[in-house]
Amino acid sequence: MHSLKDCFTLRNGVKIPCVGFGTWQTPDGEVATNSVREAIACGYRHIDTAAVYGNEEGVGLGIRQSGIAREELFVTTKVWNSDHGYDSTLKAFDLSMKKLGLEYCDLYLIHWPNPIQFRDCWEEKNAQTWKAMEKLYFEGRVRAIGISNFQPHHILSLLKSATILPMVNQMCLHPAQNQTEMVEYCKKLGIVLEAYSPLGTGALLKQPEILACAEKYGKSPAQILLRWSLQKGFLPLPKSVTAQRIRENTDIFSFELEGEDVVRLSALEGRIPPSWNADTADF
Ligand code: A2P
């Protein structure tokens, strides 16, 4: 990968730009609009949002204000827990498209495998939700479909009834959360791994090993973490609402971490608290 416009190729041939602009925890309204516009001006061509982030309207406006043709952008959104099920997923998709002001979506994801309200029937609910995702795919309303926060047992269950294999799994992935088993499993199935919270939601930026690495390469801690993600074969989704950081996070193609530094950083496993467990979270 040599620039933000370089792409991974999904199983169905669709190209997905190798870094996405994350918007989890970005407030709706001007902040979302301005940061998305700024990101696109800096060269991002891939924007990631979700119904539950509550910022699809602001994100959509930023996309429209960017002046970049729709087909040059890759936009992802996700169906939230309360909308699991066939009809409710189709309705949720329509609402997301309306809020985003888009005719189609590049990638639609099941956001969470095991919502608390369906904990006794999550497998059936995922099967129904996935059927609706497949319908949207076959109708051409989404160019690709996938999952988020799915561990191997959730994927295995989905595969019992799926016609189409998920093309992407979006996970919390950074040097303190390597998720080795899940990563190996997805790689075997040809599922592209997107890394949300690639900076550990900021908590990894001050870790001494990251600072030492930043010093060694003459780059910022954020750039080191994003480089680690790319070199692991992940597609990072850094979030920022700060213009200077949005730009800084794009400058990750002019250097390469030595293999032993990638390994050394991966040893930070557990350094910060892990993200939620999909089967026990209280949502
Ligand atoms: P902000 O949005 O206020 O600029 P992650 O992508 O892992 O979720 O991390 C996002 C967090 O990291 C946000 O708090 C964001 O702050 C901060 N952040 C993003 N990029 C940088 C950067 N280059 N330097 C320092 N902090 C950053």
Side-chain angles (χ1 to χ4, degrees), residues 16-271:
I16 179 168
C18 66
V19 178
F21 183 62
T23 64
W24 177 38
Q25 297 181 320
T26 296
D28 200 13
E30 262 182 40
V31 176
T33 301
N34 293 344
S35 55
V36 165
R37 214 180 43 229
E38 180 70 25
I40 296 173
C42 288
Y44 289 85
R45 290 296 176 266
H46 174 174
I47 311 292
D48 184 273
T49 183
V52 76
Y53 299 170
N55 59 17
E56 287 173 309
E57 288 181 31
V59 167
L61 190 57
I63 289 170
R64 287 197 300 287
Q65 287 181 356
S66 73
I68 298 293
R70 170 68 185 94
E71 59 276 13
E72 286 182 36
L73 296 171
F74 191 100
V75 183
T76 301
T77 192
K78 314 180 188 88
V79 57
W80 184 238
N81 293 358
S82 45
D83 292 316
H84 280 207
Y86 185 81
D87 291 331
S88 38
T89 295
L90 295 178
K91 252 190 230 150
F93 177 77
D94 285 342
L95 186 59
S96 281
M97 289 304 98
K98 192 166 163 221
K99 286 188 173 169
L100 281 161
L102 298 178
E103 292 295 312
Y104 70 91
C105 178
D106 295 279
L107 176 63
Y108 199 40
L109 304 178
I110 303 183
H111 203 147
W112 197 260
N114 191 347
I116 194 162
Q117 64 265 57
F118 302 126
R119 204 139 280 169
D120 56 351
C121 59
W122 62 268
E123 296 193 76
E124 196 187 326
K125 279 289 175 186
N126 281 345
Q128 295 163 358
T129 305
W130 193 249
K131 265 278 159 284
M133 313 272 284
E134 290 179 337
K135 175 180 162 70
L136 294 168
Y137 178 72
F138 288 130
E139 287 175 354
R141 301 190 67 201
V142 300
R143 297 175 65 227
I145 52 178
I147 51 186
S148 183
N149 297 293
F150 276 54
Q151 292 295 337
H153 65 284
H154 303 121
I155 300 176
L156 196 63
S157 159
L158 194 70
L159 297 187
K160 287 184 206 155
S161 59
T163 305
I164 300 176
L165 264 175
M167 292 149 193
V168 163
N169 192 10
Q170 183 179 126
M171 299 297 292
C172 182
L173 285 167
H174 50 62
Q177 194 161 346
N178 286 277
Q179 309 225 43
T180 317
E181 187 203 345
M182 184 278 302
V183 166
E184 287 311 312
Y185 188 80
C186 286
K187 282 192 173 164
K188 255 189 232 145
L189 290 178
I191 296 174
V192 168
L193 284 156
E194 295 185 336
Y196 74 78
S197 303
L199 313 177
T201 61
L204 282 173
L205 296 167
K206 290 202 165 69
Q207 296 298 323
E209 293 85 346
I210 304 292
L211 292 171
C213 210
E215 172 90 24
K216 171 173 171 182
Y217 288 91
K219 304 302 280 186
S220 74
Q223 289 165 338
I224 296 294
L225 286 161
L226 295 174
R227 197 61 226 179
W228 177 90
S229 195
L230 277 182
Q231 289 185 220
K232 290 287 285 186
F234 306 151
L235 188 163
L237 304 167
K239 172 265 179 188
S240 177
V241 295
T242 314
Q244 172 263 325
R245 293 172 174 174
I246 292 171
R247 187 169 293 279
E248 177 185 316
N249 295 348
T250 67
D251 181 14
I252 54 173
F253 299 99
S254 59
F255 73 109
E256 194 169 340
L257 298 177
E258 290 165 20
E260 62 184 35
D261 285 325
V262 173
V263 174
R264 203 171 287 144
L265 295 186
S266 305
L268 294 183
E269 179 69 39
R271 179 65 64 85

